[in-house]
Amino acid sequence: MIRTESVDKFISQYYRPVNSQMGALRKQGEDEHIPIILKETEMYLSSILNIIKPKRILEIGAAIGYSTLFFSHVCPEAVIMSVERDDKMWNRAKENVFSQGKEDQIFIGHGDASELFSMLKDEGDWHVDPFDFIFIDAAKGHYKEFFERILPITKSGSVIVCDNILMKGMTAEEDINRRYRTSIIRMRTFIDYLYQMSNSSTQVLSLGDGISITRID
């Protein structure tokens, strides 16, 4: 795939936020260097969400709620649940959800994702129907753990997207960055795991910072 600064700039000129509120929230996130989904990733997700038309969406890693709100605008009929462990980010996400009048559509849980998974399972206090679309954008070194724990709340046809798979290219580099060695090795192990899974199909794409798309058979 051709990946140059000129190509990225060319594609980016066709990006349009879903509305002015989301445009302002994106600028805020980018100005503060908060990790929100990249424009190219958002453009791609908009396309597949309009094809899938999910009714139940789960997100792991809300940050300031940008992608959560993006999902709500693209899929206005969907019920959306997200989780964020950072106190400050969780509060800001809630504020953004309320400011856009999406509190009846979106629930953002506060805490560790593993606690949420336990509560959503069949025997959990918050047992729910399976999710149609799941988006993972949290601690990169724990993607495999997250993925394994969400499988019980999926169904045939569920789509799971994981963001930042390439970790700014470090996942693919031959010389491993010593500072991020553990996360890189864990991400490579996770990608191998996805491709070796039975009863599913996975593709890894280099758009944005790299995403994996898994469909449960």
Side-chain angles (χ1 to χ4, degrees):
M1 178 177 287
I2 302 172
R3 295 302 312 218
T4 65
E5 185 177 344
S6 60
V7 169
D8 290 342
K9 184 177 180 180
F10 178 80
I11 293 173
S12 182
Q13 71 178 319
Y14 295 104
Y15 167 81
R16 298 290 183 276
V18 293
N19 57 40
S20 59
Q21 284 181 305
M22 292 301 293
L25 186 57
R26 169 171 285 283
K27 184 178 186 307
Q28 182 183 85
E30 291 175 345
D31 288 348
E32 297 181 31
H33 304 290
I34 294 169
I36 61 176
I37 55 175
L38 298 176
K39 292 178 180 177
E40 186 179 10
T41 304
E42 180 178 326
M43 293 164 73
Y44 178 78
L45 290 176
S46 179
S47 296
I48 64 171
L49 288 169
N50 277 303
I51 294 171
I52 300 169
K53 299 186 184 304
K55 297 299 182 184
R56 298 185 56 78
I57 297 175
L58 174 64
E59 176 187 49
I60 309 302
I64 59 172
Y66 181 86
S67 51
T68 321
L69 284 160
F70 164 71
F71 297 147
S72 75
H73 290 294
V74 177
C75 306
E77 302 301 319
V79 174
I80 302 168
M81 178 177 289
S82 185
V83 62
E84 174 58 50
R85 65 182 299 176
D86 182 87
D87 294 350
K88 185 177 179 180
M89 290 294 102
W90 176 67
N91 278 308
R92 290 186 63 178
K94 285 198 308 175
E95 291 172 2
N96 289 326
V97 166
F98 274 85
S99 71
Q100 295 196 23
K102 291 289 187 175
E103 63 272 17
D104 291 335
Q105 185 184 3
I106 296 171
F107 170 78
I108 300 183
H110 184 209
D112 191 270
S114 60
E115 298 174 5
L116 178 68
F117 298 146
S118 298
M119 297 180 75
L120 294 179
K121 291 193 302 184
D122 287 345
E123 65 275 17
D125 294 337
W126 290 0
H127 170 60
V128 295
D129 294 332
F131 290 91
D132 308 304
F133 180 81
I134 299 172
F135 186 64
I136 302 177
D137 187 11
K140 312 311 170 201
H142 296 281
Y143 271 22
K144 186 172 182 288
E145 175 191 349
F146 294 152
F147 199 97
E148 290 174 332
R149 299 196 67 175
I150 63 175
L151 286 176
I153 50 177
T154 62
K155 62 181 179 180
S156 176
S158 292
V159 173
I160 307 168
V161 173
C162 301
D163 199 13
N164 306 119
I165 288 291
L166 296 180
M167 298 172 59
K168 298 182 179 179
M170 291 188 294
T171 303
E173 292 175 355
E174 291 186 9
D175 295 328
I176 295 179
N177 185 315
R178 294 180 62 183
R179 180 180 177 184
Y180 300 100
R181 179 180 178 83
T182 300
S183 293
I184 292 169
I185 291 174
R186 286 182 178 179
M187 186 62 79
R188 290 179 178 179
T189 300
F190 172 61
I191 294 172
D192 287 340
Y193 160 78
L194 292 179
Y195 275 103
Q196 293 168 9
M197 278 182 58
S198 59
N199 303 318
S200 68
S201 58
T202 292
Q203 299 297 330
V204 171
L205 303 178
S206 62
L207 62 87
D209 190 29
I211 63 171
S212 67
I213 307 122
T214 300
R215 185 184 186 278
I216 307 300
D217 295 337

